[in-house]
Amino acid sequence: MSRKPKLERFKENVSSKYQIYNSIFMTLPFDGISNTGVLLPLFSEICEEGYKRDKNPSQIMDKFFERYVEKDKTEKEKVQLLFRFIQYIERQVVLFDAVEDAAFPIVNNMDGRGTLRNIKEEAQEKHQMDALKTYLKRFKIRPVLTAHPTQFYPGQVLGIITDLAEAIEKDDLLTIKKLLAQLGKTPFFKKEKPTPYNEAVSLIWYLENVFYHSASKIYNYIQDNIFKDEELDNQVIDLGFWPGGDRDGNPFVTTEITLKVAERLRSTILLNYYRDIRKLKRRLTFEGVEKRLAHLERMLYDNVYLRKEDEMFSLAEFEAELKAIRDVIVSDHQSLFSAEINDLINKVKLFGFHFAMLDIRQDSRVHQGVFENIVEVMEARENGLFSIDYANATEEEKIKALTNIDAVVASEYFENEITNATISSIYAMKTIQSNNGERGANRYIISNNQSALHVMEAFSMLRLCNWKQPDVDVSPLFETVPDLQAAQSVMRTLYTNEAYAAHLKRRGNKQYIMLGFSDGTKDGGYLMANWSIFKAKEELTAISREFGIKVIFFDGRGGPPARGGGKTHQFYASLGNTIQDEEIQLTVQGQTISSNFGTPESCQYNLEQLLSSGISNEIFSSATAEFSDEDKKTMEALASISYDTYVAFKKHPCFLTYLERMSTLKYYAKTNIGSRPSKRSKSKEFNFSDLRAIPFVGSWSQLKQNVPGFYGVGTALEYMEKSGKFEAVEDLYKNSSFFRTLLENSMMSLTKSFFKLTAYMKDNEEFGEFWSIIFEEFNRTKRMLLKLTGYESLMENEQAGKASIHAREKIVLPLLTIQQYALRKIQELQKDPEANESELKIYEKMVTRSLFGNINASRNSA
């Protein structure tokens, strides 16, 4: 490990190497194009120079064409050149990703703060090894891979990034040149939407090639270096999975796909075991074990390739046989290669026959309609489910009726497509559990959960599917600010319900509760969303402890800070003892998967950071609440002012029309990056509540305005300054690592903003005032954050991260310019009654194509 500062390591191993390989890439012609690589750096220079002189994207483009493109070039040829620029830039982003991946273990200290080795050494130093062992016997992390479309790389491009990173690590110039040429010819644009099964297959690649190795390496380290001869009976790392099970707003997730994905997960983990058994066979060539290994190899081969289920061991038998083989090696063969067989035994403990735990998720509004249909159909079929008029009963009456429900339904009872699908998805969970084990699919998540009735209806549907005692955890998802505020009352009702309390007792008195950052930010702004979630966690911890329930929080976090991303490790280490920390569970999606978990090194490092954040919070913290009463009052005031500011901004008459007409929002649906529709309803009318968080946050990001990550923060801080209460804010900043982490994430959003790109909008008759409101809040937030932190510039304490952001922003500046140029062209053509329809379509395609590189370049937002 180099002792040079992190920024210097980044410059040497990322910035400098990127410049070298990019210069090679720019000289490689593909598809018969030779001058694009020459013209792009010149265009990039014109862009930088133009924004310094306050020129708009159209003026910058005119200047470039005038200076570097022959006068006789037609409009069509100029447009073709811009499309070629887009092709080059999105590939430059891939190259930067690969260089950064290759340098990951050099730039990041793999044995430094937050790693397991560091944690173990700190525990030894502080005589806390027993406490560490006790904690690891019950603590877990669960990253949950989702198919939310926040990255635009097709599978083959992800493969090239991996191969490029390996070649760069070895400085293999010949392979690098070949891979760059391959990259030049590989299409990025998806002509058809992926199916949920396609999405699952691409994410299973990460499970098979990265998590399988990294998670087991961590587990081996814990077993060998912390527990030593003592058997660790806790997985420590679970993996979660949403593609194929997440039905919320995705009509394309069918029962057939759910079962197919579960089967793919099972066959992939068995295939990985098969490969490991083959490797073991080459080493364990001893009497007493050779034939037993050959039997396991044949059994796995028959199951994976020939689909012979009847000859397959159960999971318990498989694990017992591996342990028996280990016993022979220890007793008869001097423990030769016992570490290798221990590694496989640990993998089987971690991944079972399920590989990752497939969650099923659906919206409470769907459940409501489904349940009403069930009641109606059952009344027509027999005596009905209830003695009351369910549709017109009060919530209390409905919950009472659901408590004592006792009937069985089958999906074929229902002609209604959604009811049929919902019921069959529950029967699918039973099938998955019988094939993959109980951990294969044992959680049902209710999106948009607003009441105890929503949980009871989902719980009752499980019981109606011939499952009197469901081996399933029912998890409400609280997302909006009002829902978070009502969460404690919802859980009190459930904990005091006899049927639900009995269910929890059977499930080990554990209650999973999911909290959604993305919709919380969209609904209430950055500070209020994060503060509401913190308060909800405190309240839910208190109510759960009152009833003897261990609450396990599952955070729906996105990639950028505005969607709950940012510095997740610092966030979890800062929660204090008033929030239950039995497990850390969070969603991981899009560019966050590839940037944080895309290589074995980055995956191991970030899993260890998550583990250590929980350990730090529990064992090495001062075991006090994160907030004093005074600090809490200050935080409450800041969140409240920020919320009012954001809500007033949302109510501005230009808010929706600005997004609809001046941003890339409506183009997200045309990118074909995800199977899920980009809005919740099929209505053609533009409605804020139907808008998903990803295109909402993404559209602000494409404008380089990043509103959801800072809007309201500056106003709240300035109000405290003008009221003479800034000292209280300084105390809060000094005392609370939670608050510091929030502000550092907000700084990241500010760092990624670039208002010169859209400065032309301030002269727009309709939207000029609205653009100026955003720009003023940006400047206000920047001024106040610098004052509070004492920094000279944003992200002063994160120089390497800041350098990565600046490098990526420099790469995509020409792409952003092309996008804004195309948007301005579209606006001009839409005003012209004689405009050519085909010309309009070309510029719309240009906007859609430019979305790809811009989003991919933001992968360091996690």
Side-chain angles (χ1 to χ4, degrees):
M1 177 68 201
S2 168
R3 293 190 178 277
K4 289 177 183 175
K6 190 172 182 179
L7 177 61
E8 209 171 310
R9 298 199 303 270
F10 178 85
K11 283 178 179 172
E12 278 181 19
N13 295 280
V14 180
S15 304
S16 301
K17 279 195 174 183
Y18 170 74
Q19 296 302 336
I20 293 164
Y21 295 129
N22 186 46
S23 62
I24 296 168
F25 176 60
M26 298 302 263
T27 60
L28 290 173
F30 56 89
D31 297 338
I33 301 160
S34 54
N35 66 339
T36 311
V38 176
L39 288 173
L40 182 54
L42 300 171
F43 178 52
S44 189
E45 208 174 285
I46 291 273
C47 291
E48 285 182 42
E49 188 185 297
Y51 291 119
K52 277 179 191 163
R53 296 184 179 186
D54 298 323
K55 302 293 181 190
N56 69 45
S58 305
Q59 291 168 328
I60 288 169
M61 198 65 74
D62 291 343
K63 179 81 173 173
F64 169 72
F65 287 140
E66 181 192 313
R67 190 183 290 183
Y68 294 115
V69 179
E70 294 94 326
K71 300 272 187 295
D72 60 349
K73 290 284 183 192
T74 63
E75 196 62 32
K76 187 181 176 182
E77 286 172 316
K78 288 176 182 176
V79 163
Q80 282 175 339
L81 178 63
L82 296 183
F83 274 111
R84 293 202 296 267
F85 279 168
I86 292 170
Q87 281 182 297
Y88 260 84
I89 296 163
E90 57 193 12
R91 285 157 178 79
Q92 284 179 308
V93 172
V94 169
L95 176 59
F96 194 87
D97 285 350
V99 172
E100 208 163 38
D101 282 349
F104 189 92
I106 303 166
V107 175
N108 297 279
N109 186 348
M110 299 297 282
D111 292 322
R113 188 161 183 77
T115 62
L116 274 176
R117 183 172 170 178
N118 174 261
I119 283 286
K120 183 196 148 212
E121 286 170 359
E122 191 174 351
Q124 283 173 328
E125 197 180 305
K126 294 180 176 175
H127 307 291
Q128 293 273 27
M129 279 301 282
D130 286 342
L132 176 60
K133 284 163 80 170
T134 302
Y135 188 60
L136 284 170
K137 283 176 185 174
R138 62 179 172 83
F139 177 65
K140 284 184 186 180
I141 59 169
R142 190 194 303 188
V144 179
L145 306 190
T146 81
H148 291 350
T150 58
Q151 186 179 59
F152 295 68
Y153 291 142
Q156 59 268 37
V157 173
L158 288 169
I160 295 171
I161 294 176
T162 304
D163 295 342
L164 250 180
E166 280 178 21
I168 289 165
E169 218 172 325
K170 295 171 187 165
D171 284 321
D172 181 353
L173 197 56
L174 185 63
T175 304
I176 290 166
K177 282 185 81 166
K178 281 183 178 176
L179 288 167
L180 289 174
Q182 180 192 354
L183 189 62
K185 290 177 172 288
T186 302
F188 276 47
F189 189 71
K190 297 176 180 177
K191 292 187 173 67
E192 292 176 2
K193 270 182 170 292
T195 67
Y197 183 69
N198 298 146
E199 290 169 332
V201 169
S202 16
L203 288 188
I204 288 170
W205 184 92
Y206 287 103
L207 295 178
E208 181 178 10
N209 294 286
V210 183
F211 283 93
Y212 182 72
H213 305 286
S214 302
S216 60
K217 198 171 175 183
I218 291 170
Y219 193 86
N220 291 345
Y221 181 89
I222 293 170
Q223 179 68 72
D224 297 343
N225 294 280
I226 296 172
F227 282 84
K228 296 182 180 166
D229 299 327
E230 188 184 337
E231 187 89 7
L232 172 58
D233 189 25
N234 175 31
Q235 283 84 21
V236 182
I237 300 168
D238 276 330
L239 300 176
F241 206 73
W242 272 17
D246 182 10
R247 286 171 156 66
D248 179 16
N250 193 339
F252 307 111
V253 177
T254 62
T255 303
E256 184 190 1
I257 279 182
T258 302
L259 291 167
K260 202 174 162 189
V261 168
E263 171 52 33
R264 181 67 178 243
L265 284 164
R266 184 178 191 271
S267 62
T268 306
I269 191 60
L270 292 181
L271 179 60
N272 276 23
Y273 295 156
Y274 169 71
R275 288 174 185 147
D276 277 357
I277 291 279
R278 281 178 65 84
K279 284 180 200 163
L280 274 173
K281 251 185 82 188
R282 294 184 65 177
R283 295 288 166 265
L284 305 181
T285 51
F286 322 134
E287 199 177 322
V289 297
E290 191 184 11
K291 285 181 182 174
R292 295 172 87 163
L293 276 173
H295 174 63
L296 288 179
E297 179 194 18
R298 191 169 57 255
M299 183 182 69
L300 288 166
Y301 179 88
D302 287 351
N303 191 272
V304 172
Y305 294 107
L306 306 179
R307 305 288 181 204
K308 287 186 182 174
E309 286 288 341
D310 51 340
E311 294 170 24
M312 185 65 189
F313 272 164
S314 68
L315 179 62
E317 289 168 336
F318 183 52
E319 197 173 346
E321 181 65 359
L322 289 172
K323 285 179 176 176
I325 290 169
R326 180 182 61 187
D327 291 344
V328 173
I329 289 164
V330 172
S331 63
D332 299 354
H333 303 289
Q334 294 77 49
S335 298
L336 201 55
F337 301 118
S338 60
E340 283 80 352
I341 192 148
N342 275 333
D343 173 56
L344 181 53
I345 290 167
N346 288 342
K347 283 170 177 166
V348 173
K349 270 190 204 170
L350 285 174
F351 309 119
F353 283 171
H354 63 285
F355 211 162
M357 303 160 93
L358 185 63
D359 288 335
I360 306 296
R361 182 171 79 129
Q362 185 54 284
D363 193 292
S364 66
R365 290 165 290 196
V366 172
H367 287 158
Q368 200 173 334
V370 165
F371 213 84
E372 283 168 10
N373 184 235
I374 290 172
V375 171
E376 188 187 324
V377 169
M378 292 302 281
E379 273 177 6
R381 280 182 66 89
E382 32 195 86
N383 298 327
L385 289 177
F386 307 112
S387 56
I388 60 164
D389 175 5
Y390 188 82
N392 297 308
T394 64
E395 181 169 322
E396 202 176 320
E397 288 168 339
K398 285 179 178 177
I399 289 174
K400 191 177 176 185
L402 291 168
T403 304
N404 302 308
I405 200 164
D406 184 20
V408 174
V409 301
S411 55
E412 59 265 24
Y413 291 4
F414 307 99
E415 288 175 18
N416 180 293
E417 197 180 326
I418 293 176
T419 306
N420 186 298
T422 305
I423 296 299
S424 66
S425 73
I426 294 169
Y427 278 104
M429 290 180 87
K430 295 176 82 171
T431 304
I432 294 166
Q433 287 196 7
S434 70
N435 293 338
N436 295 15
E438 192 253 324
R439 287 163 71 211
N442 63 2
R443 179 161 62 186
Y444 198 107
I445 298 163
I446 308 150
S447 303
N448 190 43
N449 197 100
Q450 296 169 336
S451 68
L453 179 62
H454 288 155
V455 177
M456 286 302 291
E457 284 185 336
F459 175 52
S460 298
M461 280 192 279
L462 290 168
R463 290 188 291 160
L464 283 170
C465 293
N466 201 16
W467 214 349
K468 295 221 184 292
Q469 297 186 349
D471 297 319
V472 175
D473 300 303
V474 184
S475 173
L477 164 51
F478 301 108
E479 298 176 83
T480 65
V481 173
D483 291 351
L484 288 162
Q485 289 166 346
Q488 184 189 30
S489 161
V490 168
M491 296 317 297
R492 181 177 287 279
T493 304
L494 292 168
Y495 291 158
T496 52
N497 179 279
E498 59 179 288
Y500 194 77
H503 167 69
L504 283 181
K505 193 173 180 184
R506 285 192 301 273
R507 298 295 296 162
N509 276 328
K510 285 186 177 182
Q511 172 64 55
Y512 292 85
I513 296 177
M514 188 173 176
L515 302 158
F517 283 78
S518 300
D519 279 294
T521 307
K522 177 181 152 240
D523 174 61
Y526 181 68
L527 273 188
M528 180 55 96
N530 281 279
W531 179 234
S532 295
I533 285 171
F534 186 94
K535 283 196 302 181
K537 282 186 173 181
E538 280 199 323
E539 289 167 0
L540 290 165
T541 297
I543 187 82
S544 300
R545 284 173 179 171
E546 184 187 325
F547 284 91
I549 305 294
K550 279 186 178 169
V551 64
I552 293 166
F553 295 114
F554 174 26
D555 293 325
R557 303 176 74 91
R563 293 188 45 244
K567 298 168 184 176
T568 48
H569 315 121
Q570 288 180 23
F571 174 84
Y572 286 112
S574 72
L575 294 179
N577 69 349
T578 55
I579 290 175
Q580 187 74 37
D581 60 351
E582 187 76 13
E583 292 188 28
I584 290 176
Q585 299 194 9
L586 71 163
T587 52
V588 190
Q589 54 200 267
Q591 72 271 47
T592 318
I593 298 173
S594 59
S595 62
N596 280 13
F597 304 98
T599 66
E601 291 82 10
S602 63
C603 183
Q604 183 185 335
Y605 180 82
N606 284 298
L607 287 175
E608 286 190 22
Q609 292 286 318
L610 269 183
L611 270 170
S612 72
S613 63
I615 293 164
S616 300
N617 190 38
E618 171 80 9
I619 297 173
F620 302 136
S621 72
S622 55
T624 56
E626 169 69 4
F627 291 95
S628 66
D629 290 344
E630 202 52 48
D631 284 343
K632 203 170 250 192
K633 254 187 247 171
T634 307
M635 188 72 220
E636 192 68 58
L638 287 167
S640 181
I641 298 155
S642 171
Y643 178 69
D644 291 343
T645 307
Y646 180 77
V647 169
F649 173 65
K650 240 177 22 172
K651 286 180 180 170
H652 192 288
C654 287
F655 184 83
L656 281 177
T657 45
Y658 179 80
L659 272 178
E660 191 176 13
R661 289 182 19 218
M662 304 302 278
S663 84
T664 57
L665 183 64
K666 64 185 177 189
Y667 297 93
Y668 266 79
K670 299 176 183 181
T671 56
N672 292 333
I673 57 161
S675 66
R676 193 166 74 161
S678 61
K679 57 197 245 318
R680 286 187 169 91
S681 81
K682 291 178 183 175
S683 161
K684 286 188 179 175
E685 198 177 307
F686 191 66
N687 185 308
F688 184 74
S689 61
D690 285 339
L691 188 56
R692 294 195 182 281
I694 290 168
F696 174 73
V697 172
S699 298
W700 290 113
S701 171
Q702 297 279 324
L703 283 167
K704 302 313 287 179
Q705 292 174 2
N706 290 327
V707 159
F710 69 81
Y711 201 92
V713 176
T715 298
L717 291 170
E718 189 180 71
Y719 174 85
M720 299 297 272
E721 179 190 47
K722 287 179 176 174
S723 310
K725 296 174 184 171
F726 200 68
E727 203 177 308
V729 180
E730 289 173 321
D731 286 343
L732 173 64
Y733 182 75
K734 187 174 71 186
N735 299 337
S736 167
S737 51
F738 173 81
F739 184 57
R740 286 196 300 276
T741 303
L742 277 192
L743 296 191
E744 283 174 17
N745 284 340
S746 193
M747 274 195 195
M748 196 190 287
S749 292
L750 294 172
T751 304
K752 291 183 173 189
S753 298
F754 182 61
F755 278 83
K756 282 182 179 286
L757 179 74
T758 55
Y760 68 88
M761 291 182 188
K762 69 173 178 281
D763 301 320
N764 183 290
E765 199 175 312
E766 189 177 353
F767 297 112
E769 182 215 344
F770 187 72
W771 183 91
S772 298
I773 288 170
I774 300 168
F775 187 47
E776 282 162 20
E777 183 64 9
F778 166 82
N779 284 324
R780 188 181 293 117
T781 306
K782 183 177 175 181
R783 179 181 77 81
M784 294 309 304
L785 286 180
L786 291 178
K787 178 179 178 177
L788 179 60
T789 57
Y791 295 164
E792 294 288 317
S793 61
L794 296 171
M795 291 184 72
E796 195 176 285
N797 64 328
E798 267 288 322
Q799 292 293 335
K802 187 177 177 178
S804 177
I805 288 169
H806 283 321
R808 289 170 179 278
E809 297 296 310
K810 186 179 167 74
I811 293 168
V812 295
L813 186 64
L815 193 57
L816 292 161
T817 306
I818 292 168
Q819 186 182 84
Q820 284 295 320
Y821 169 72
L823 284 167
R824 284 168 65 87
K825 279 283 192 187
I826 290 163
Q827 286 157 14
E828 281 171 30
L829 290 165
Q830 283 171 338
K831 285 176 190 167
D832 182 358
E834 293 174 22
N836 183 324
E837 188 65 30
S838 63
E839 193 181 354
L840 184 68
K841 281 199 167 78
I842 285 166
Y843 286 109
E844 285 183 336
K845 185 183 174 186
M846 195 177 283
V847 173
T848 306
R849 290 289 286 108
S850 63
L851 279 163
F852 287 59
N854 291 335
I855 287 284
N856 290 335
S858 293
R859 84 190 285 216
N860 57 2
S861 60

